[in-house]
Amino acid sequence: MLFSHKTNRSIRLSPSLLSANAVTLGTDAAAALAAGGDRLHYDVMDGRFVPNITFGMPVLAQLRSHLGPDAFLDAHLMIIEPERYVEAFAKAGANQISVHVEASPHLHRTIQLIRGCGTQVGVAINPATPLSALYEVLDSIDTVLMMTVNPGFGGQQYIPQSTAKIRALRAYITANGFATQIQVDGGIGLDTLATVVAAGVDDVVVGSAFFRADGDLSRSVAALQRCLDA
Ligand code: DX5
Ligand code: ZN
């Protein structure tokens, strides 16, 4: 957990396992939680919705059994027809499932499907998709996963226009009295963290900037916290 004195709010830290070492994934995942990560972000890519392929349900199930019941596993599905796999990811042990608004034409139904599995519901939105695509569902989801890079790869640069988009979403959620949380994903690190926190996010996904620190993940968390204290 990070804390912003400027806004007097706790910010959830979600290390992205995409940047962990695949050979030592279980150990890295446990270390990320021990170092102060709140939720593990699990990026599922299908080579269709995004131009890359990662891991699926079996690896998530193995992580669940390795980490035990208390670890929060947050599955970000960057796949076409995500509704086909929602139940399988819930069964594998996901605590939250996020689907892309661009990949799910019957989004309301998909949200109900996820809810019915007993997991939390997230909806992800790409940089070029307007916020209005979410307005009709905002009050029935837990999290908006706002992409601040084009999804597909770790280690990309934060898209600067995202800041105004975060502010606009925060204002819309506040004005309507919704409880929806804002999670940002892509290019979040020492140079961008303070900006997105000031703009109003609740949860930051951090991949390369978290796992980069040579072996000592608590140093990554401390460095991120220092950005907010500066
Ligand atoms: C990108 C993924 C992100 C990625 C972020 O498509 O959705 O979760 O791991 O990595 P960084 O923090 O390196 O931009
Ligand atoms: Zn992601």
Side-chain angles (χ1 to χ4, degrees), residues 41-224:
H41 187 81
Y42 186 81
D43 284 311
V44 182
M45 305 187 189
D46 65 351
R48 300 284 308 281
F49 182 68
V50 290
N52 197 5
I53 299 177
T54 54
F55 21 53
M57 298 83 80
V59 175
L60 188 73
Q62 288 179 351
L63 278 172
R64 167 61 68 210
S65 67
H66 179 71
L67 297 168
D70 293 340
F72 193 105
L73 301 177
D74 192 6
H76 175 194
L77 305 190
M78 287 163 275
I79 64 177
I80 59 168
E81 301 177 5
E83 56 283 349
R84 292 176 57 198
Y85 295 97
V86 162
E87 281 163 302
F89 275 102
K91 223 170 150 194
N95 298 93
Q96 175 163 265
I97 297 176
S98 296
V99 297
H100 268 263
V101 58
E102 301 86 1
S104 190
H106 304 290
L107 185 59
H108 185 266
R109 182 185 292 150
T110 307
I111 289 167
Q112 287 178 310
L113 177 65
I114 300 172
R115 196 64 83 196
C117 292
T119 70
Q120 293 187 28
V121 184
V123 174
I125 181 165
N126 281 337
T129 306
L131 286 175
S132 55
L134 299 176
Y135 287 171
E136 307 305 325
V137 301
L138 267 185
D139 61 341
S140 52
I141 65 176
D142 299 288
T143 302
V144 172
L145 202 185
M146 192 188 288
M147 293 308 304
T148 44
V149 298
N150 289 297
F153 302 92
Q156 301 183 80
Q157 288 265 316
Y158 177 84
I159 296 174
Q161 288 88 338
S162 306
T163 309
K165 199 175 177 187
I166 298 165
R167 272 198 218 104
L169 179 60
R170 169 55 62 202
Y172 190 88
I173 287 172
T174 304
N176 286 279
F178 297 150
T180 328
Q181 304 231 310
I182 304 177
Q183 182 180 50
V184 283
D185 185 9
I188 308 301
L190 303 183
D191 50 343
T192 49
L193 178 68
T195 303
V196 298
V197 167
V201 304
D202 303 290
D203 183 313
V204 289
V205 176
V206 187
S208 45
F210 184 83
F211 283 99
R212 189 182 292 145
D214 27 307
D216 186 355
L217 297 178
S218 56
R219 275 180 25 210
S220 303
V221 179
L224 291 166

